[in-house]
Amino acid sequence: MAVECVEIRRHHRVGIKDIAGICLPTSVKFQSPAYSSVDAEETVEPYTTEKMSRVPGGYLALTECFEIMTVDFNNLQELKSLATKKPDKIGIPVIKEGILDAIVVWFVLQLDDEHSLSTSPSEETCWEQAVYPVHDLADYWIKPGDQVTMEVSCQDCYLRIQSISVFNSEHEMDVGKSFTKNKDLLPLGNEAELCSALANLQTSKPDAVEQTCALESTEIALLNNIPYHEGFKMAMKKVLSSLTLEKRGQAMDTQCQSNEMSCESGQNNSEQSVPEPLYVLDVSEGFSILPIIAGTLGQVKPYSSVEKDQHRMTLDLISETNHFPKETLEFWLRHVEDESAVLQRPKSDKLWSIIILDVIEPSGLLQQEIMEKAAISRCLLQSGGKIFPQYMLMFGLLVESQTLVEESAVQGTERTLGFNIAPFINQFQVPIRVFLDLSSLPCIPLSKPVELLRLDLMTPYLNTSNREVKVCICKSGQVTAIPFWYHMYLDDEIRLDTSSEASHWKQAAVVLDNPIQVEMGDELVLNVQHHKSNVSITVKQ
């Protein structure tokens, strides 16, 4: 079925043109990993997966469910023919008004004439659904009376849904760009329809060169995260403004002393020395425009640590669009001999004003060796310089979640037809579940959020590796898990919440081996330990 889903959209389409004052060029086309065609050089899965029943914010079905393919696994000839079969063209009427974000696919597995299994989002199932994000339409808004058309094939062992377009109820045909490069896949009609379709195509200027930039879905969600970029801009502006004023004061003192010496020696000191810039280093992983944002904040020399040539070309294009001098942004890995030793001085006699570290993984866990990186970074900062974030607070709460229990370990023998496989399988269970969306996780909160840990990157003496936290129970039930997340403080006033609606980060949870029965008013004591970027949480009995 075709769906509208904000969560899918923000992970697969860059929906903004301006990020904290930085304009994104129209010549840059951002693509998610789920964007691919049959004739692509590299074979990748042309879809992503989601548990649609738990997707944050939910989804709206814009069409009825429709069948796209039937495969008989007992018919060898039919299976062989899939590799050479031409794509099937499908047209589906729209039943609800909304934004076309994705085609969601699931399967009905017919075991025999009487028994079947469904992976539908409406079923209680262990399966996720396949999600084909929609790209490159001239207009994503559809309404009843329109028809969504697509081509379905399975030529390279992947089910592909391509050439998605919309037949408009007002115009005979409204065609967006195709998912494939094959011109013969455009819907055919009479001459008037074809002219109308060509007129509606969004085309670039003949001399414009489109730059494709492939990003992970979390990187696209990061670009769409407005509070993140606005927060960094404000925090960097504070630090750089303070250091600039301090530098000007020092320069004036030096100039006065120089003028006095020149007067005594009879020399004319009319030449003004060019002031040194402030150096900013962004070593966050993946694609980041923070160095470009830093470059707008005065006399700053920003360095990016992106590795991929495609990402560097895109950042150069963004710099050019925003009228940056060509030499403003530099790529730090071109200046270091050993890429494993990224944290170094900008020059032998200079220090950094700001160092941006990647402290939280998209999964919701701490980045490995983050405290060690912070220790090195502190030694590379000029007086008054800062590490971003400066510190983090870890928060958590107690919940009752049967879903987390059942997804973390095999429960008993009833669901395994009496076979006692739990003792063996459960040896391989992990203590912490990651990539969770707390906002849509089926659970009952049994306490209010509490601060579990402070990790300070600027003042490490404030850190504790082991602490006990008392948690008051506000609802009776069984404690089965402890979800946690972070507040990242760029300074004492500007913070980023990794559990917010706009966050590109997920959350994580510790699942208890044995549920704990609690009553309202009880108090549990949690033992929180931090060692080498790993955090453990246990309930003190």
Side-chain angles (χ1 to χ4, degrees), residues 37-317:
S37 61
V38 176
D39 54 352
E41 294 179 3
E42 189 176 337
T43 302
V44 294
E45 293 180 348
Y47 54 82
T48 182
T49 59
E50 290 281 354
K51 191 86 168 176
M52 293 302 295
S53 61
R54 299 213 309 246
V55 69
Y59 66 91
L60 174 66
L62 303 177
T63 66
E64 299 281 5
C65 302
F66 55 91
E67 184 178 311
I68 60 173
M69 184 177 288
T70 300
V71 178
D72 185 353
F73 289 102
N74 290 310
N75 188 330
L76 185 60
Q77 192 63 35
E78 181 181 323
L79 291 174
K80 288 181 177 179
S81 69
L82 287 176
T84 56
K85 184 181 177 183
K86 288 185 177 181
D88 291 326
K89 296 182 179 182
I90 299 175
I92 307 299
V94 176
I95 61 169
K96 286 187 180 178
E97 189 175 43
I99 298 172
L100 179 57
D101 291 316
I103 307 297
V104 176
V105 174
W106 63 92
F107 298 89
V108 176
L109 312 173
Q110 200 71 39
L111 305 181
D112 57 27
D113 292 338
E114 298 179 3
H115 302 91
S116 64
L117 296 174
S118 173
T119 68
S120 164
S122 62
E123 299 282 341
E124 285 293 330
T125 173
C126 60
W127 284 290
E128 295 183 332
Q129 290 75 48
V131 174
Y132 293 78
V134 176
H135 300 88
D136 293 342
L137 291 184
D139 186 3
Y140 293 93
W141 186 261
I142 59 176
K143 57 189 178 300
D146 294 346
Q147 189 177 63
V148 177
T149 67
M150 65 202 75
E151 298 198 346
V152 179
S153 64
C154 192
Q155 296 176 353
D156 57 351
C157 298
Y158 287 115
L159 177 64
R160 294 184 181 274
I161 299 178
Q162 299 174 302
S163 301
I164 297 176
S165 57
V166 177
F167 281 75
N168 197 286
S169 56
E170 297 175 0
H171 306 92
E172 283 291 325
M173 195 178 349
D174 179 20
V175 185
K177 291 181 184 176
S178 166
F179 267 15
T180 69
K181 299 174 185 176
N182 296 332
K183 302 296 186 293
D184 59 340
L185 294 182
L186 286 173
L188 299 177
N190 60 39
E191 189 175 350
E193 290 175 337
L194 190 57
C195 291
S196 175
L198 291 173
N200 286 325
L201 279 175
Q202 287 189 327
T203 55
S204 304
K205 295 179 181 178
D207 58 345
V209 178
E210 190 176 69
Q211 168 67 32
T212 298
C213 182
L215 299 178
E216 295 297 324
S217 59
T218 51
E219 293 174 317
I220 291 179
L222 171 58
L223 278 181
N224 286 320
N225 189 341
I226 295 175
Y228 175 91
H229 293 99
E230 293 288 356
F232 266 99
K233 182 177 182 178
M234 288 189 291
M236 289 192 292
K237 187 174 183 179
K238 285 184 186 180
V239 173
L240 296 172
S241 297
S242 174
L243 293 175
T244 299
L245 288 173
E246 183 181 329
K247 192 169 67 169
R248 283 176 183 169
Q250 293 172 350
M252 288 179 66
D253 291 342
T254 303
Q255 189 175 0
C256 289
Q257 293 175 6
S258 178
N259 288 341
E260 289 175 6
M261 292 174 63
S262 298
C263 290
E264 291 174 4
S265 62
Q267 295 177 350
N268 183 13
N269 189 23
S270 58
E271 292 185 4
Q272 295 289 329
S273 60
V274 178
E276 275 286 332
L278 299 172
Y279 295 92
V280 175
L281 175 62
D282 178 11
V283 291
S284 54
E285 294 184 7
F287 186 81
S288 171
I289 67 164
L290 292 180
I292 298 179
I293 294 174
T296 67
L297 302 176
Q299 193 156 2
V300 176
K301 187 68 176 174
Y303 287 82
S304 167
S305 62
V306 297
E307 300 178 23
K308 297 179 181 178
D309 289 337
Q310 191 182 77
H311 291 178
R312 292 177 180 179
M313 290 171 64
T314 301
L315 288 176
D316 279 336
L317 279 173

Side-chain angles (χ1 to χ4, degrees), residues 372-390:
E372 291 83 351
K373 291 176 183 176
I376 298 172
S377 298
R378 288 192 297 271
C379 300
L380 301 174
L381 290 175
Q382 70 172 94
S383 176
K386 301 292 182 184
I387 297 172
F388 285 153
Q390 296 188 38

Side-chain angles (χ1 to χ4, degrees), residues 332-488:
W332 181 235
L333 295 183
R334 293 175 179 172
H335 296 264
V336 294
E337 295 180 1
D338 182 4
E339 292 188 8
S340 64
V342 175
L343 293 170
Q344 302 177 26
R345 287 171 174 256
K347 294 181 181 179
S348 60
D349 59 338
K350 302 298 177 185
L351 294 168
W352 299 103
S353 301
I354 294 174
I355 297 178
I356 300 170
L357 296 179
D358 216 353
V359 294
I360 307 293
E361 294 180 359
S363 65
L365 296 179
L366 284 176
Q367 288 278 5
Q368 290 299 300
E369 300 182 347
I370 186 59
M371 301 311 291
E372 291 83 351
K373 291 176 183 176
I376 298 172
S377 298
R378 288 192 297 271
C379 300
L380 301 174
L381 290 175
Q382 70 172 94
S383 176
K386 301 292 182 184
I387 297 172
F388 285 153
Q390 296 188 38
Y391 63 94
M392 296 176 292
L393 299 181
M394 178 182 177
F395 286 85
L397 79 161
L398 307 180
V399 302
E400 179 176 336
S401 175
Q402 189 61 24
T403 298
L404 280 181
V405 170
E406 292 178 359
E407 292 182 354
S408 299
V410 178
Q411 304 298 312
T413 60
E414 182 181 348
R415 301 185 185 184
T416 53
L417 304 178
F419 292 100
N420 188 23
I421 65 171
F424 172 72
I425 295 295
N426 291 346
Q427 293 180 61
F428 304 99
Q429 72 182 96
V430 292
I432 296 180
R433 286 291 309 280
V434 295
F435 286 107
L436 298 176
D437 285 298
L438 188 54
S439 63
S440 60
L441 176 70
C443 68
I444 303 171
L446 303 180
S447 75
K448 293 182 178 179
V450 294
E451 182 184 323
L452 300 177
L453 196 66
R454 177 187 173 109
L455 296 173
D456 202 306
L457 279 64
M458 284 296 296
T459 49
Y461 64 85
L462 296 175
N463 295 328
T464 53
S465 59
N466 192 335
R467 69 179 299 223
E468 291 186 348
V469 180
K470 291 183 179 179
V471 184
C472 183
I473 302 299
C474 61
K475 185 180 178 67
S476 300
Q478 280 194 329
V479 179
T480 60
I482 308 168
F484 59 89
W485 62 95
Y486 295 89
H487 288 177
M488 295 167 38

